[in-house]
Every structure is written in C-alpha cells, then in structure tokens.
Amino acid sequence: MFKSYASKITSFLIENKEINQDDYEVYKYGFEVLIAFIVNIAIVLSIGLLFNKIFYSIAFLICYCPIRQFAGGYHANNYTKCLLIFILIFILTVNTSSNVDSQIYTLMIFIISTLSYTGIFILAPIEHRNNPLTLREIKKYKKISRILAGVVYILTLIFMEIDKLRELSAYTCSSLFWINMMLCLGVLKQLFSKGD
C-alpha cells in the first residue's frame, strides 16, 4: 500500500516535470517513509483519542520519534509489520502507564528510565542495512541521540516527582524503554545476520 502510493506520487511529479526521472527511486523511497510516518502518527493519535489519552499520546510521540530517528535499531522487514509493531508498542504503553500513584511504580519508572537511557547512551546509533552511516554520521547521530535521550530522561525524573505529572513520566519513560528495546533487538538482528 505505502509503496503503491509513493510510486503514484513520484510518477505524478515526474509527469509534471517537478522532479527528474533519474531521481525516481530516491523520491519513491522518501515518499514511502513519509507516508508510513504519517500513518503511524495518525494511528497513535487515534488510539490516544480512543483511550482519552491524546495529550499523553502527543508527549510519547514527541519523545519517541526524534530519538528513534537518530538512535536507529531494529526495523521490521516491511511497513505493515512496522505499523503493527508500533501499534502494539503504543497500546502496551497506554495499558502500563495508568495508575502510577504508588511508590513502587515511581521506583520502577526510575529504574526503567535509568537502564533505558544507559542502553541508548551505549548502543546508539544502530544503522539500518539499507541506510549505512559514515563515521561522521555515526558520531553525529550518537551525540544527538544521547542529548535527546538525556533531555527525556531528565524530564522523566522531574515529572515523576510531581503528582500531577506522574502519569506523563510513565509515557516519557516508555519512550526511552521502547527505543532501548529496538536498539537491543537491532544488535541481536545484526549478530544473527552475520552468522548467515
């Protein structure tokens, strides 16, 4: 579906002489990524509306998407799997981020966010096989992902100490947790693919 729409948009732009035929593959891939991103965002916001958690959905996306862009990690083999994984991640986040009033839950947020930030700090970036990074890009992405994750980590620690923002801390913590999980899965995928 995403590839079909991306192909149609790219062909339309070529027919109208907006882009050059030689750049077809580059634009097609760019539109595929853009369409998938828009669909992911729309679905997460819809789930947020469904569960009456739109503010938290936006907060999760603001924390998750920029770090994920620079940190990299596991990527599904196609857009449908990617979309399903992202939906599952967000539904799990919504289900585990309610009822955060207990001290044990606050301690769990602290531990999970600290471990997740440490994982991101050590592992990021993990490049995708279709998008290899230069040494310069690796250094740049490492620095940016560490800074972004550090900001989210500090915000999580601040939010968990304020009663009215404690639930928000669960969403910011979840963004770090899922990015760390994607990095760990990316490392495992690289290890197993080297064995083939």
Side-chain angles (χ1 to χ4, degrees):
M1 179 179 91
F2 298 137
K3 290 186 178 188
S4 173
Y5 286 126
S7 184
K8 287 176 184 175
I9 293 168
T10 307
S11 296
F12 175 79
L13 291 173
I14 289 171
E15 287 171 17
N16 288 294
K17 301 189 185 328
E18 297 294 329
I19 60 173
N20 191 330
Q21 176 70 39
D22 297 337
D23 297 328
Y24 177 84
E25 289 300 322
V26 173
Y27 278 92
K28 182 175 166 263
Y29 177 74
F31 284 122
E32 284 176 31
V33 171
L34 179 63
I35 292 166
F37 177 75
I38 291 168
V39 169
N40 282 344
I41 299 299
I43 288 176
V44 165
L45 293 177
S46 298
I47 292 168
L49 277 171
L50 184 69
F51 287 99
N52 198 26
K53 302 283 184 185
I54 190 70
F55 171 74
Y56 298 114
S57 303
I58 293 168
F60 176 82
L61 290 169
I62 289 171
C63 294
Y64 180 88
C65 293
I67 302 171
R68 177 85 162 117
Q69 178 184 351
F70 290 102
Y74 173 81
H75 286 277
N77 297 334
N78 61 56
Y79 292 114
T80 304
K81 284 183 186 174
C82 178
L83 181 60
L84 292 174
I85 290 169
F86 196 59
I87 290 169
L88 178 64
I89 282 172
F90 190 67
I91 289 173
L92 287 171
T93 297
V94 170
N95 285 330
T96 58
S97 297
S98 300
N99 304 320
V100 293
D101 293 334
S102 72
Q103 289 291 68
I104 293 173
Y105 204 93
T106 303
L107 179 62
M108 285 175 52
I109 289 173
F110 174 74
I111 292 168
I112 292 169
S113 60
T114 301
L115 292 174
S116 299
Y117 172 71
T118 304
I120 295 167
F121 190 90
I122 293 168
L123 297 174
I126 305 261
E127 61 189 357
H128 188 269
R129 68 182 178 279
N130 294 338
N131 186 22
L133 302 173
T134 64
L135 285 175
R136 185 176 179 192
E137 288 173 324
I138 289 171
K139 285 182 181 178
K140 178 182 174 184
Y141 284 24
K142 181 181 286 291
K143 182 178 181 181
I144 293 170
S145 59
R146 284 177 173 180
I147 290 169
L148 292 173
V151 169
V152 173
Y153 176 63
I154 290 167
L155 288 173
T156 301
L157 298 181
I158 292 168
F159 295 158
M160 73 180 203
E161 293 300 323
I162 302 168
D163 287 339
K164 291 183 179 180
L165 298 177
R166 196 160 290 139
E167 188 172 354
L168 180 58
S169 74
Y171 283 85
T172 56
C173 173
S174 291
S175 69
L176 294 174
F177 172 78
W178 290 117
I179 291 165
N180 185 48
M181 294 308 308
M182 294 296 118
L183 289 169
C184 292
L185 290 172
V187 169
L188 289 174
K189 189 174 182 180
Q190 285 180 350
L191 289 173
F192 286 117
S193 65
K194 285 179 184 175
D196 293 338

